[in-house]
Amino acid sequence: MLRDKLNEALKEAMRARDTATLGTVRLILAKLKEVDIAARTETSREGVADDRILSMLQTMIKQRNESVALYEKGGRPELAAKEKAEIVVIERFLPQQMDEAAVGAAVAEAVAATGATSVKDMGGVMAALKAKYAGQMDFAKASAAVKKALS
């Protein structure tokens, strides 16, 4: 379904002659094709699932945020503005992000569901969160919340 939304956004950007959106959606689709090819096996030629696409989009946003910081530090505001514009376009395809209270509740639920008792069990809790909330939460913040809950 997300793949269809991306293709439709590409067509809309072409019709509207929105070059900024068009370029960003093309970048997303190129990265998606790369991920699809990497995930191929001898028996399966299917594309990756939506949760993997959401993860890819979050990675793209993280990369752009890092670039913005570097560009601003290097005195290149025009390049930072371009990266920020790409972030806005990419975020259109992500579901609504969870607030801190919702992340805390999800962490507590995942800790209870996995039976985690110490920081050693953190990997299982994070795996459960990623499976259930892909694209909906910042897993760096969730990781800190899990660590706090388990210590």
Side-chain angles (χ1 to χ4, degrees), residues 58-90:
Q58 286 181 322
T59 302
M60 291 177 78
I61 288 175
K62 182 180 176 187
Q63 291 169 338
R64 276 150 186 78
N65 281 326
E66 291 169 357
S67 295
V68 166
L70 291 173
Y71 288 144
E72 288 175 347
K73 185 177 178 183
R76 299 294 306 265
E78 70 283 357
L79 293 176
K82 182 179 182 286
E83 295 290 325
K84 288 178 184 176
E86 287 181 2
I87 290 170
V88 170
V89 173
I90 295 169

Side-chain angles (χ1 to χ4, degrees), residues 89-129:
V89 173
I90 295 169
E91 285 177 338
R92 287 187 355 207
F93 301 104
L94 290 175
Q96 183 67 34
Q97 296 294 301
M98 298 171 73
D99 61 357
E100 284 192 36
V103 170
V107 166
E109 177 186 327
V111 167
T114 59
T117 57
S118 70
V119 178
K120 291 180 181 178
D121 302 323
M122 189 170 163
V125 175
M126 289 303 295
L129 287 172

Side-chain angles (χ1 to χ4, degrees), residues 27-67:
L27 284 172
I28 294 169
L29 289 171
K31 181 68 176 173
L32 179 57
K33 185 172 238 175
E34 183 181 310
V35 170
D36 281 343
I37 289 170
R40 283 185 186 163
T41 63
E42 288 292 323
T43 57
S44 174
R45 295 287 183 208
E46 293 292 317
V48 295
D50 277 359
D51 62 334
R52 185 94 182 266
I53 296 172
L54 291 172
S55 176
M56 178 198 74
L57 292 174
Q58 286 181 322
T59 302
M60 291 177 78
I61 288 175
K62 182 180 176 187
Q63 291 169 338
R64 276 150 186 78
N65 281 326
E66 291 169 357
S67 295

